[in-house]
Amino acid sequence: MLTREFLLKADCKTSFGDIDDALLWSCEQRAASLAATLACRPDQSPVWIFGYGSLMWNPVFEAEEVATGRLEGWHRAFCLRLTAGRGTATAPGRMLALKEGGTTSGLAFRLPEARLHDELTLLWKREMITGCYLPTWCELALEDGRNVTALVFIMDPRHPLYETDSCRQTIAPLIAQASGPLGTNAQYLFSLEQELGKRGMQEEALTRLAAEVRALQQQSQSAAR
């Protein structure tokens, strides 16, 4: 499990697995990215973070408020080749990101202004190890009727780890077998399925993907007996 303590102490080069030096961002690069993102902050209203994957069940950062939210114009897709964390370079899995089109339901976290930089620095260490996302200010519709501006981590299609093919037949075998220092790729998928179900946000495509991954794992276990 990725904990706050682990993340605070983590060495990005080694703690998440073997990351290619050409892909690994330095502390300075992450700091510059964060500074550039904050420089584009639309106004001085509270900063919200939109969680659509593991941030939903394991945010790690501190938040003063959590609310259900809906993001228009983007959808979940396992389009990020996973070579660390829950996969390796030789047996890569797939990580969730956002691609253009559709809508996404998730959780919005309002960060404390007094600790904003510390919490965002921790978040950048978690999400921007290789700079694979584009931190983007987006309008988010909260369930209670409020509209807020939130930071959203969207897939950068120019990144070397971006994969255009994220259809179920392609990614299910990868997710079924991939694992790394943070656990298995399949467990990430199952945790997401469980969290979405608990919150009434089920997505048919994701449910079908999880079912296929379970079937593949069962086949593999039967063949090994």
Side-chain angles (χ1 to χ4, degrees), residues 10 12 24-34 121 124-125:
C12 291
L24 184 67
W25 269 24
S26 65
C27 293
E28 292 76 16
Q29 284 174 299
R30 293 198 305 274
S33 169
L34 173 55
T121 297
W124 250 248
K125 189 175 183 180

Side-chain angles (χ1 to χ4, degrees), residues 50-52 68-76 98-99 101-107 136-142 148 150-154:
F50 182 60
Y52 57 87
T68 300
R70 189 171 184 83
L71 177 68
E72 296 290 340
W74 302 92
H75 68 278
R76 290 181 178 88
L98 290 179
K99 291 176 70 174
T103 61
T104 300
S105 293
L107 294 181
T136 305
W137 297 98
C138 297
E139 184 174 307
L140 202 64
L142 302 187
V148 300
L151 262 178
V152 183
F153 287 89
I154 292 166

Side-chain angles (χ1 to χ4, degrees), residues 94 167-177 209 212-213 216:
R94 285 295 184 91
C167 72
R168 187 174 73 254
Q169 293 80 1
T170 299
I171 67 175
L174 300 174
I175 294 174
Q177 54 80 40
L209 173 61
E212 185 160 340
V213 168
L216 288 169

Side-chain angles (χ1 to χ4, degrees), residues 177-222:
Q177 54 80 40
S179 66
L182 297 184
T184 68
N185 200 178
Q187 189 53 56
Y188 172 93
L189 171 63
F190 300 153
S191 295
L192 176 59
E193 178 193 33
Q194 182 180 31
E195 185 69 19
L196 293 179
K198 183 174 71 175
R199 297 186 178 277
M201 300 178 183
Q202 297 94 330
E203 293 184 359
E204 185 179 350
L206 193 139
T207 301
R208 290 200 304 268
L209 173 61
E212 185 160 340
V213 168
R214 287 191 181 91
L216 288 169
Q217 290 184 323
Q218 290 170 359
Q219 291 173 14
S220 178
Q221 291 168 2
S222 297

